[in-house]
Amino acid sequence: EAGVTQSPTHLIKTRGQQATLRCSPISGHTSVYWYQQALGLGLQFLLWYDEGEERNRGNFPPRFSGRQFPNYSSELNVNALELEDSALYLCASRATGALREKLFFGSGTQLSVL
Amino acid sequence: DAKTTQPPSMDCAEGRAANLPCNHSTISGNEYVYWYRQIHSQGPQYIIHGLKNNETNEMASLIITEDRKSSTLILPHATLRDTAVYYCIVRAHNDMRFGAGTRLTVKP
């Protein structure tokens, strides 16, 4: 069974540009979570999607946005990139309706903003 | 979701048991305790979770105090590959929010 896949693995952008990160959940999983992890820091919750709807978002500015597609894959968009957006962005998925079940994480996208 | 407190770092000798504490004094009745770990630059990996009974699986044991205000993750025979950041999370139905975790270093 394929795990959570994220693309691209690495992304280099310059200040002011836009970045799009993609996540494919495990087959059968409808919930997708996004996290930001800056170098040496913990995971900061960004967004949670379930059944195509945004369920919750963390304390991030509106230039961080995303969506979930009918096939439950998800995109994270970061507009007007700033240097401090450089981080590892992790996606996780969870099984349908299983609120107490575990999250499965992808390997992340390393975003570098120059 | 309730807040958790963990020591920032711990050391453990290879082959010995690693006991990682977590304080969650504001936990409510329907909140579960979850443990994940993150090995350098990889996505976090689920370890174990529980509500009020002690739990054991192939990776670890979870001991939850009777008042549920704290818990301990036990790695019975730590190896060098167990060196990682360990996160304790308390949640009911909402998003999973990670704290700073405990950086466990297993030494030979």
Side-chain angles (χ1 to χ4, degrees), chain B residues 3-51:
Chain B
K3 180 178 171 58
T4 61
T5 304
Q6 298 177 255
S9 64
M10 292 181 62
D11 291 341
C12 176
E14 187 178 19
R16 306 297 292 267
N19 296 281
L20 292 91
C22 180
N23 182 287
H24 31 79
S25 58
T26 60
I27 193 170
S28 59
N30 64 343
E31 289 184 313
Y32 281 66
V33 180
Y34 291 80
W35 284 84
Y36 284 76
R37 73 179 182 184
Q38 187 177 26
I39 297 171
H40 182 64
S41 296
Q42 297 179 19
Q45 174 192 25
Y46 166 85
I47 301 173
I48 199 167
H49 75 281
L51 183 62

Side-chain angles (χ1 to χ4, degrees), chain A residues 33 35 37 42-43 45 48 56-57 88 90 94 99-103 105-106, chain B residues 30 32 34 36 38 41 43-44 46 49 87 91-98:
Chain A
Y33 298 75
Y35 294 86
Q37 187 171 34
L43 283 78
F45 168 71
W48 169 29
N56 206 355
R57 65 179 291 132
L88 179 66
L90 290 160
R94 191 191 66 215
L99 289 172
R100 297 196 181 95
E101 285 302 315
K102 55 191 173 185
L103 298 184
F105 281 83
Chain B
N30 64 343
Y32 281 66
Y34 291 80
Y36 284 76
Q38 187 177 26
S41 296
Y46 166 85
H49 75 281
Y87 298 97
R91 66 181 282 262
H93 305 295
N94 297 320
D95 46 82
M96 186 85 73
R97 304 207 181 204
F98 290 70

Side-chain angles (χ1 to χ4, degrees), chain A residues 5-6 13-14 20 24 39 44 46 49 68-70 73 84:
Chain A
T5 57
Q6 293 187 244
K13 295 285 187 179
T14 57
T20 298
S24 293
L39 188 63
Q44 300 299 313
L46 266 167
Y49 291 95
Q68 188 176 32
F69 299 97
S73 66
E84 51 266 34

Side-chain angles (χ1 to χ4, degrees), chain A residues 63-83:
Chain A
R63 57 192 187 82
F64 286 85
S65 65
R67 55 180 172 167
Q68 188 176 32
F69 299 97
N71 67 353
Y72 304 116
S73 66
S74 178
E75 259 182 16
L76 174 68
N77 295 293
V78 188
N79 293 321
L81 284 166
E82 300 179 2
L83 297 178

